[in-house]
Amino acid sequence: MIDTKNFPIDLVFPPQGHFTQPYLALPCLKAFLEENGQRDVRLIDASVEAYDRFLSEPYLERCAARVAERLPVDAFEGADALAFEDMERFRAAAEAAVAAPGLPQRVEEAKRVVRGERFYEHEAYLEAMGTLYAGLRLVSAAHFPTVLTPHNFTMGYANDRSEQVLAATLDEEQNPFVEHFETALLPRLLERRPRLVGLSVIYGSQLIPALTLGRLIKRHLPDCHVTAGGGFLAYIGAKLMRAPGMDACLDSIVFHEGEGPLLALANALEAGRSLDEVGSLTWFDRSGDAVSAVVNEPQHPVRLEGAPVPNFDGLPLDTYFSPSVVLPYDVNRGCYYGACTFCTLPTVIGPGYRTRSAERIVDQVLELKERYGTNLFNFITDCMPPGLISDLPQELIERDADIRYWCDARVEPKAYTPEGAQRLYESGCRKLLFGFETATPRLLKLMKKGQSPRATLEVATNCSNAGISVTFYAMVGFPTETRDEARATTAFLIDNADVVREVSLQTFHIDEVARTYHHPEEFGITIIDDPTADLQLYHDYESATGMSQGEAAEMFDEMMAGLRQHFPLFSADNVLYFMQKSHYFLHLARGTTPDAFADTCRERTRAITDPPADADFAVVDEVATLEVPFSYARAVEKLADPLARAVRPDFMTGRFVEGAASRAREALGTLPPTRRVIAHAPRAAAPFTELAPDGLRFLEALRDAGSLSALLAALDPTPAAAERAVAFTHRLYRSGLVRVLPGRLAPVTASVRPATV
Ligand code: SF4
């Protein structure tokens, strides 16, 4: 018998989301539910909890043992060739075998660095992040072909076919969250016995883990209603509810904004009423012989001005992978512009554009600052309207809010004047992200962006001059874009690399909500539907002019290579700052200027790529080596080809490209057996280096000698051989396998057989 006086609600953020800061949706829902009478609401960030447990010594020890059993690298010995379909397995097995020893013991320290004061030491931070990435590679190898990174989670299943998605929720070999939820989350749920669990599914990468958890809850707590909502389900929720077998994982889905529907759902469940009246809900009616999905009428969204301050209580704010918590806060919802032809955000977030007043925003921000002891904020907005660009900074300054914040922004030349930008900086703004998209006016017109490259640059320059770091979102492969146009975008960005600090480049995708999907004729494209993909959201297309999708993927690589050469934040492993949400911002918030940070990045790149010509060297501690029967470097190269990348679920869309595996197999071929050595330096920017057997012998000789000068003195080489030895040692240095010693390399004059080195 259910105790109806007690109505516990658990709101869960399932893996996988960024691990550096909390998400906003659940704290907004908790605050709203509690303000309206549902007082027993618990928040669980199951994503950061999973990262924290996976990146722990005992878990990684288990993964290492599991990899040795599931992916033994010696299984490849004696094979005539390495087939394309085995390359990923070979790579994962080899990397795990060489990197696993010692890794579990280093991971706790890496977490301490990222969460503590040493976060601000450039080298310590990059090394620690390298360790965390290595830890996740080991977790992934233990669940091969699954790949978990700080930014994504994909399995060997497509996200756009319900049969595969549901199968993935049951696959204990590949799905690390089955064991994780059973061990770390389910016992807490069983103890509390919530009556309603809400799963927040913002990204496609959360779909399988969310349904995995939903299935476990439905199995173990049959009286608990499991609902789900969030941005990703606004796209595919209706299809999900029609998919056979989905009722084993869910009871309902809330569409668009969650506050009103979730409250109505909780109240109806608590009172034992029918769910017919709960707006914006699609639910499974289990009262008949067969389960049927019932679609309710939509509900109006809440008045944002009246919505309560988000309540982050209960979230593990010390567990995020950052030294200080950066709180998200939504200044508005929807987009006041809403016309860009590729953009689906205004539709997905819910009907209409709503904002809060500057006064209300500052009231709530100050309350959050006081309650959680942080002055760091990520303002969640698709774009700040011109009025708020002046009102909000003014209010923050007048009330001496003393906060630091970053947010997305739309190019509004009248608002981001030199004075406007200065006011934003004074109010605490340290980073702005603008939708630049492309340097081609023709394409901007087709996108209906309502802006020109010149205006965007002017706005960016004003912000940069005021001390605000500027990021551009850019796009490659918009229908009809040519290679020359994409190259012009790269050139434009590179020309302005002192104004624009970061570029978030993405390839264009068509989803079912965008205008490009509904009016393909306007863009000269033909949409290709895949009838076998019942959860299909993203579609392939053929373009009459401009780059094909495949060519756009190749162009993406070319553009990224150009950006990595010219943007200090993208060079070498500095890119790790760009990749972790808010990590670069934390430096800016501390007072580092964008110029000073760029200099530090340049210095790091120089230091790891450009040793002094007369430096002496020694092998770094902890270098591990592994002999392998095929070329690791060639396998990595082939797997990086756009054709090979299309075989895995796509980073953005989670879907497989039809026929990609056979195309890749045909084009990329096999690898012949070749004895090679993988050398692994755990603290290096590039952790894996392939050596020929001769290269390994040199490395070992260098290690035995203690220094390059000692080795050369012992070998007594000819000048030419000595030159080759020095050049090879410089290569080892760039791979992080040797370090510079104090003192200079002694000149070498006598002769030795060149083959010796
Ligand atoms: S791209 Fe930005 S400005 Fe354009 S509609 Fe989307 S959110 Fe609004």
Side-chain angles (χ1 to χ4, degrees):
M1 170 96 179
I2 296 163
D3 177 4
T4 50
K5 289 199 191 86
N6 179 19
F7 196 79
I9 300 171
D10 279 355
L11 301 180
V12 184
F13 185 75
Q16 172 278 323
H18 296 278
F19 61 18
T20 59
Q21 65 185 52
Y23 281 79
L24 183 61
L26 298 185
C28 288
L29 292 171
K30 175 178 166 74
F32 188 83
L33 290 174
E34 290 184 345
E35 188 179 72
N36 289 282
Q38 287 294 345
R39 304 220 161 268
D40 190 6
V41 183
R42 176 171 74 167
L43 299 185
I44 296 173
D45 187 335
S47 180
V48 79
E49 283 181 7
Y51 277 117
D52 194 45
R53 177 164 173 262
F54 290 173
L55 291 168
S56 67
E57 187 172 339
Y59 193 88
L60 290 185
E61 293 278 17
R62 286 221 323 264
C63 286
R66 198 174 141 114
V67 172
E69 203 180 288
R70 284 187 79 225
L71 282 189
V73 75
D74 53 15
F76 295 92
E77 289 291 346
D80 295 343
L82 185 64
F84 170 75
E85 49 270 36
D86 291 328
M87 285 181 197
E88 185 88 52
R89 179 182 289 272
F90 169 68
R91 174 193 179 156
E95 288 181 351
V98 73
L103 175 58
Q105 291 70 41
R106 289 197 310 277
V107 79
E108 300 292 349
E109 174 60 14
K111 286 196 289 189
R112 276 193 289 278
V113 168
V114 171
R115 290 175 180 151
E117 193 55 24
R118 295 195 68 206
F119 169 94
Y120 295 99
E121 294 171 24
H122 210 73
E123 234 176 88
Y125 167 82
L126 293 173
E127 187 184 309
M129 285 308 301
T131 301
L132 299 182
Y133 273 72
L136 292 176
R137 270 198 299 273
L138 188 56
V139 173
S140 303
H143 300 89
F144 184 85
T146 289
V147 176
L148 175 67
T149 71
H151 325 285
N152 204 16
F153 170 70
T154 55
M155 294 176 60
Y157 293 90
N159 244 14
D160 58 359
R161 287 153 171 81
S162 62
E163 202 182 331
Q164 292 212 27
V165 166
L166 288 171
T169 66
L170 293 164
D171 186 339
E172 295 185 32
E173 281 285 295
Q174 286 192 34
N175 185 340
F177 299 110
V178 177
E179 180 275 341
H180 174 71
F181 292 147
E182 281 175 348
T183 307
L185 184 50
L186 195 59
R188 282 144 65 200
L189 296 174
L190 288 174
E191 190 183 335
R192 181 169 141 90
R193 308 195 78 77
R195 295 284 313 283
L196 170 61
V197 169
L199 305 171
S200 173
V201 184
I202 298 171
Y203 306 114
S205 60
Q206 291 178 284
L207 181 64
I208 291 170
L211 295 176
T212 303
L213 179 58
R215 186 189 286 280
L216 281 176
I217 298 171
K218 291 225 51 67
R219 192 186 302 153
H220 292 273
L221 289 167
D223 292 328
C224 175
H225 184 103
V226 179
T227 191
F232 187 67
L233 297 189
Y235 289 107
I236 65 142
K239 293 182 178 190
L240 211 57
M241 291 298 282
R242 287 197 292 270
M246 203 52 70
D247 58 303
C249 301
L250 293 175
D251 290 302
S252 66
I253 286 181
V254 167
F255 285 83
H256 304 299
E257 192 169 278
E259 277 94 339
L262 197 62
L263 177 66
L265 175 62
N267 289 344
L269 289 169
E270 188 175 16
R273 289 197 306 267
S274 158
L275 303 185
D276 280 337
E277 302 295 316
V278 179
S280 300
L281 189 81
T282 298
W283 54 286
F284 288 125
D285 183 351
R286 301 176 195 270
S287 59
D289 290 341
V291 178
S292 60
V294 181
V295 182
N296 291 357
E297 291 295 312
Q299 177 168 344
H300 279 299
V302 296
R303 205 172 69 84
L304 198 56
E305 182 73 352
V309 62
N311 186 340
F312 293 85
D313 290 359
L315 286 181
L317 297 184
D318 293 337
T319 304
Y320 292 97
F321 288 64
S322 291
S324 307
V325 68
V326 179
L327 289 181
Y329 175 81
D330 53 345
V331 294
N332 55 16
R333 291 184 190 175
C335 170
Y336 69 92
Y337 180 70
C340 303
T341 51
F342 59 83
C343 180
T344 55
L345 290 175
T347 320
V348 168
I349 283 165
Y353 164 71
R354 288 153 299 133
T355 187
R356 307 182 202 252
S357 66
E359 196 186 350
R360 179 80 172 151
I361 293 168
V362 178
D363 284 348
Q364 296 205 336
V365 162
L366 290 178
E367 196 177 325
L368 289 170
K369 181 183 171 190
E370 170 80 21
R371 197 190 301 174
Y372 299 105
T374 181
N375 71 341
L376 305 170
F377 291 90
N378 172 199
F379 286 165
I380 307 296
T381 167
D382 290 324
C383 48
M384 196 87 94
L388 211 54
I389 296 165
S390 68
D391 292 355
L392 180 57
Q394 199 58 43
E395 187 78 12
L396 287 165
I397 292 166
E398 279 169 15
R399 292 172 65 182
D400 200 15
D402 188 25
I403 63 160
R404 301 288 177 269
Y405 65 94
W406 65 280
C407 63
D408 284 348
R410 188 181 130 73
V411 173
E412 293 289 355
K414 287 196 180 124
Y416 296 98
T417 59
E419 301 73 35
Q422 192 56 44
R423 195 168 46 236
L424 275 158
Y425 181 85
E426 281 168 29
S427 73
C429 180
R430 291 294 178 267
K431 174 168 149 167
L432 287 172
L433 298 89
F434 292 100
F436 162 75
E437 317 307 355
T438 166
T440 303
R442 178 187 74 79
L443 289 170
L444 286 169
K445 209 166 154 199
L446 202 56
M447 294 174 185
K448 293 200 170 36
K449 276 300 287 185
Q451 68 193 43
S452 68
R454 196 180 51 75
T456 311
L457 185 60
E458 189 183 312
V459 160
T461 305
N462 291 341
C463 292
S464 177
N465 288 344
I468 297 169
S469 184
V470 170
T471 304
F472 275 0
Y473 292 110
M475 194 187 289
V476 54
F478 193 77
T480 74
E481 185 180 35
T482 64
R483 285 175 187 268
D484 284 348
E485 286 170 335
R487 287 182 180 130
T489 294
T490 313
F492 184 95
L493 293 167
I494 290 171
D495 282 351
N496 295 293
D498 53 342
V499 171
V500 183
R501 308 296 173 161
E502 301 168 297
V503 178
S504 179
L505 179 68
Q506 294 184 351
T507 42
F508 170 73
H509 287 102
I510 285 188
D511 72 50
E512 287 186 355
V513 185
R515 186 170 180 88
T516 38
Y517 179 78
H518 293 288
H519 299 276
E521 69 291 347
E522 288 178 17
F523 306 92
I525 53 175
T526 309
I527 306 282
I528 303 168
D529 289 323
D530 180 352
T532 62
D534 63 335
L535 301 181
Q536 185 169 28
L537 165 62
Y538 295 96
H539 290 254
D540 287 334
Y541 61 90
E542 276 165 3
S543 190
T545 58
M547 288 181 282
S548 67
Q549 280 184 283
E551 288 167 340
E554 286 168 13
M555 181 52 70
F556 175 89
D557 290 349
E558 184 183 318
M559 291 174 81
M560 279 311 294
L563 298 178
R564 291 197 70 152
Q565 261 185 32
H566 292 89
F567 284 71
L569 249 149
F570 285 5
S571 61
D573 52 352
N574 297 305
V575 73
L576 288 167
Y577 284 101
F578 166 73
M579 291 166 78
Q580 319 312 317
K581 201 167 188 170
S582 283
H583 278 189
Y584 168 45
F585 163 74
L586 283 165
H587 281 267
L588 300 171
R590 257 215 175 182
T592 306
T593 65
D595 277 343
F597 196 80
D599 284 346
T600 308
C601 292
R602 274 191 205 97
E603 185 47 45
R604 161 84 181 172
T605 307
R606 237 192 326 269
I608 63 174
T609 56
D610 204 6
D614 58 354
D616 195 5
F617 298 91
V619 176
V620 299
D621 298 337
E622 300 176 335
V623 170
T625 56
L626 174 77
E627 258 199 72
V628 285
F630 294 97
S631 168
Y632 165 81
R634 294 273 290 127
V636 169
E637 194 184 293
K638 283 182 183 284
L639 289 168
D641 189 284
L643 270 176
R645 293 207 306 266
V647 173
R648 284 199 66 79
D650 179 76
F651 174 79
M652 288 290 293
T653 64
R655 57 186 283 266
F656 288 107
V657 176
E658 201 63 30
S662 56
R663 277 200 297 279
R665 195 180 309 121
E666 214 166 283
L668 299 170
T670 59
L671 283 177
T674 325
R675 291 318 295 181
R676 283 289 179 263
V677 175
I678 303 175
H680 171 63
R683 298 172 201 280
F688 303 103
T689 304
E690 178 170 302
L691 299 173
D694 276 357
L696 176 65
R697 279 196 286 280
F698 182 86
L699 185 74
E700 286 170 345
L702 184 56
R703 179 160 44 198
D704 292 345
S707 69
L708 180 59
S709 55
L711 178 66
L712 292 178
L715 292 176
D716 193 18
T718 63
E723 214 173 281
R724 281 205 302 279
V726 171
F728 187 68
T729 309
H730 282 210
R731 223 194 96 199
L732 296 177
Y733 176 81
R734 282 189 282 277
S735 303
L737 296 170
V738 301
R739 64 191 161 86
V740 171
L741 286 175
R744 305 229 165 125
L745 192 61
V748 181
T749 51
S751 66
V752 73
R753 283 178 301 120
T756 309
V757 291

